[in-house]
C-alpha cells in the first residue's frame, strides 16, 4: 500500500483507522470549540475525506465520536451537523456528573490503600498550590480531572463506564469551565478540594463525596451562567480549546 492509498484508508502507513478517526475528530472538535464551525453547520463526509485524506469509513467514525461527545447531531440520510447545546442540557449533564463523581470519591475513600491516599493528597496539594500561584485554568482542570480519574479507578466497572460516558459528553464544556475558574481566581471550588483532602486520611467517605459533588455543583452553576450570558451576546464568544480526553 502506498502513502496515498494509506491516507484514503485511514492515515499514513502504521496508523490504525481508530487513531485516524480520533485525529479527524480532534481537529473538528477544536474548530467547533473555537466557533470556526458554528451550530447548525453541516459536516459532509465527502468534504472531510478530501480535506483530511481519509476514506468514508474513517470520516463516519470521526463523526460518530463527535456525536457521542454531543458535539454533532447525526441525521439519517442527511449527515451530521454541529449541535446547538443549551444551558439546560449542560445543567442536567453536570447534575449527573456531580452524582457520579461523588460516588467515585466515596468509593475511593473506602477502598484506596494508605499509599494511594497519600499520593492523592499530594496531587490535591499540587492542584491547590498551582491555583494559588495563578496557574492557567486549563492546567487546573487537567489536574482535577486526573484526580477524579484516579478516584474513578476504584469504582465498579459499570460506574467507570458511566463516568467515562458523562466525561465525554461534557468535554465540549471544558472551555466554559476554564472561563469560570479564571474569573474566580483563588476562590471557586478550592474549599471543596480542601474538604476532600481533609476527608481522605480520615476515610470519611460522606465528607469526600460531599466535597466532590460540590465541586461539580459549583462548575454547573458557573458554566450555565456563562452559557446564558453567551446566549444574550450579539456576537459569539470565542471558546478556548478544551483539553484533549
Amino acid at each position: 500500500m502506498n502513502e496515498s492509498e494509506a491516507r484514503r484508508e485511514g492515515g499514513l502507513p502504521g496508523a490504525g483507522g481508530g487513531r485516524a478517526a480520533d485525529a479527524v475528530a480532534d481537529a473538528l472538535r477544536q474548530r467547533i470549540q473555537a466557533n470556526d464551525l458554528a451550530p447548525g453547520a453541516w459536516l459532509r463526509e465527502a468534504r472531510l475525506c478530501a480535506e483530511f485524506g481519509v476514506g468514508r469509513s474513517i470520516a463516519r467514525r470521526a463523526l460518530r465520536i463527535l456525536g457521542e461527545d454531543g458535539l454533532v447531531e447525526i441525521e439519517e440520510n442527511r449527515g451530521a451537523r454541529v449541535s446547538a447545546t443549551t444551558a439546560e442540557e449542560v445543567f442536567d449533564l453536570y447534575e449527573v456528573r456531580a452524582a457520579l463523581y461523588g460516588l467515585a470519591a466515596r468509593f475511593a475513600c473506602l477502598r484506596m490503600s494508605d499509599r494511594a491516599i497519600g499520593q492523592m493528597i499530594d496531587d490535591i496539594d499540587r492542584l491547590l498550590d498551582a491555583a494559588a500561584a495563578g496557574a492557567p485554568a486549563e492546567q487546573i482542570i487537567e489536574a482535577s480531572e486526573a484526580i477524579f480519574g484516579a478516584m474513578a479507578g476504584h469504582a465498579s466497572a459499570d460506574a467507570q463506564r458511566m463516568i467515562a460516558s458523562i466525561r465525554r459528553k461534557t468535554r465540549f464544556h471544558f472551555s466554559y469551565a476554564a472561563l469560570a475558574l479564571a474569573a474566580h481566581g483563588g476562590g471557586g471550588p478550592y474549599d471543596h478540594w480542601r474538604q476532600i483532602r481533609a476527608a481522605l486520611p480520615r476515610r470519611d467517605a460522606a465528607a469526600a463525596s460531599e466535597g466532590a459533588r460540590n465541586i461539580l455543583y459549583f462548575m454547573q452553576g458557573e458554566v450555565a451562567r456563562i452559557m446564558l450570558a453567551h446566549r444574550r451576546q450579539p456576537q459569539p464568544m470565542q471558546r478556548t480549546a478544551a483539553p484533549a480526553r
Side-chain angles (χ1 to χ4, degrees):
M1 178 183 290
N2 61 34
E3 182 173 312
S4 176
E5 291 170 336
R7 284 184 179 276
R8 286 196 297 273
E9 292 304 317
L12 292 171
R19 291 196 297 275
D22 286 340
V24 174
D26 286 343
L28 294 172
R29 183 181 294 110
Q30 291 178 19
R31 295 181 193 177
I32 294 170
Q33 290 164 342
N35 284 330
D36 293 334
L37 291 171
W42 288 96
L43 302 177
R44 304 296 185 187
E45 286 182 12
R47 183 174 178 180
L48 297 180
C49 291
E51 178 177 355
F52 292 100
V54 298
R56 284 187 176 269
S57 63
I58 299 300
R60 291 192 193 104
R61 191 181 305 178
L63 292 174
R64 285 198 299 271
I65 291 170
L66 296 175
E68 291 173 357
D69 290 350
L71 290 175
V72 304
E73 300 170 357
I74 299 176
E75 297 188 15
E76 190 72 24
N77 300 321
R78 296 195 67 190
R81 61 180 176 181
V82 178
S83 300
T85 306
T86 68
E88 291 79 10
E89 289 168 343
V90 173
F91 194 90
D92 290 354
L93 284 170
Y94 270 90
E95 191 73 25
V96 176
R97 194 174 182 192
L100 289 172
Y101 276 32
L103 179 73
R106 176 179 178 81
F107 287 156
C109 204
L110 293 172
R111 297 171 181 170
M112 281 195 303
S113 67
D114 291 342
R115 181 177 180 180
I117 284 179
Q119 179 61 56
M120 187 164 289
I121 289 172
D122 290 343
D123 292 340
I124 293 173
D125 285 343
R126 280 191 287 271
L127 181 152
L128 294 172
D129 289 345
E138 290 83 0
Q139 178 182 333
I140 303 300
I141 292 171
E142 287 280 4
S144 65
E145 283 301 296
I147 295 170
F148 277 126
M151 290 180 178
H154 297 273
S156 68
D158 284 342
Q160 290 186 47
R161 282 191 290 270
M162 287 187 283
I163 290 169
S165 175
I166 202 68
R167 289 174 84 172
R168 285 197 307 270
K169 291 180 182 298
T170 54
R171 177 164 47 193
F172 170 69
H173 311 110
F174 273 102
S175 52
Y176 290 111
L179 289 173
L181 286 180
H184 282 265
Y190 302 113
D191 283 344
H192 306 312
W193 275 114
R194 294 184 184 94
Q195 178 178 346
I196 294 174
R197 188 200 184 285
L200 286 171
R202 303 195 310 265
R203 295 190 180 273
D204 187 341
S209 179
E210 179 184 50
R213 291 195 306 271
N214 283 336
I215 290 169
L216 272 296
Y217 288 146
F218 167 82
M219 300 310 301
Q220 175 193 56
E222 290 301 301
V223 171
R225 178 184 63 77
I226 291 171
M227 290 190 73
L228 288 171
H230 177 198
R231 179 185 295 173
R232 292 192 291 267
Q233 290 177 359
Q235 298 296 327
M237 180 179 65
Q238 289 297 106
R239 305 187 186 103
T240 59
R245 300 287 169 201

